[in-house]
Amino acid sequence: MAYMNDVDDKFYERADAHIHLSNDQITEDVGRGKVSSSTMYSTARFNAWVSACSCDSRENMIEDKAEMLEYFVSEYKKMLDENLDDYIENFNEYMGVDDKSA
């Protein structure tokens, strides 16, 4: 499962489209946390389907399940770590904080 390592020229464009959709779903009644949960669920559901597409049988999927879990969890952790570091580095700019004390 090496396809997440293959970042093409539309990678960030597709990611931004998902981010815009999630942002559009945030309302007064549906907060960021609920949208985040739905987004994570949809990603997990989609990745389960992608994984199933790479298998030729139910038994093959059962055999490969631990490897699939390890792969997706590891990739998500790397991506989240990278984005958390980016927000830490650029917190004031991204969050609109006017830090005149710095």
Side-chain angles (χ1 to χ4, degrees):
M1 299 188 110
Y3 41 83
M4 282 192 149
N5 296 325
D6 298 327
V7 176
D8 60 62
D9 59 343
K10 299 289 185 177
F11 178 89
Y12 293 105
E13 187 177 317
R14 288 189 303 272
D16 286 345
H18 287 279
I19 292 167
H20 290 299
L21 175 62
S22 294
N23 286 335
D24 289 345
Q25 293 177 346
I26 298 169
T27 66
E28 194 172 303
D29 295 327
V30 180
R32 294 180 300 261
K34 287 182 179 181
V35 173
S36 176
S37 293
S38 297
T39 301
M40 284 194 293
Y41 179 82
S42 68
T43 299
R45 186 71 181 170
F46 183 78
N47 287 332
W49 174 76
V50 168
S51 297
C53 289
S54 71
C55 297
D56 54 9
S57 69
R58 177 180 182 271
E59 290 73 24
N60 179 238
M61 193 169 183
I62 291 169
E63 291 170 13
D64 292 347
K65 181 181 174 184
E67 182 182 345
M68 293 171 185
L69 277 169
E70 175 60 33
Y71 172 76
F72 285 110
V73 170
S74 173
E75 288 298 303
Y76 179 77
K77 185 176 179 181
K78 285 187 265 183
M79 292 176 184
L80 182 59
D81 186 53
E82 177 183 310
N83 281 282
L84 287 170
D85 285 346
D86 183 44
Y87 264 80
I88 290 167
E89 180 72 25
N90 298 289
F91 185 86
N92 290 354
E93 177 186 349
Y94 290 171
M95 303 308 292
V97 175
D98 185 19
D99 187 11
K100 295 181 184 198
S101 63

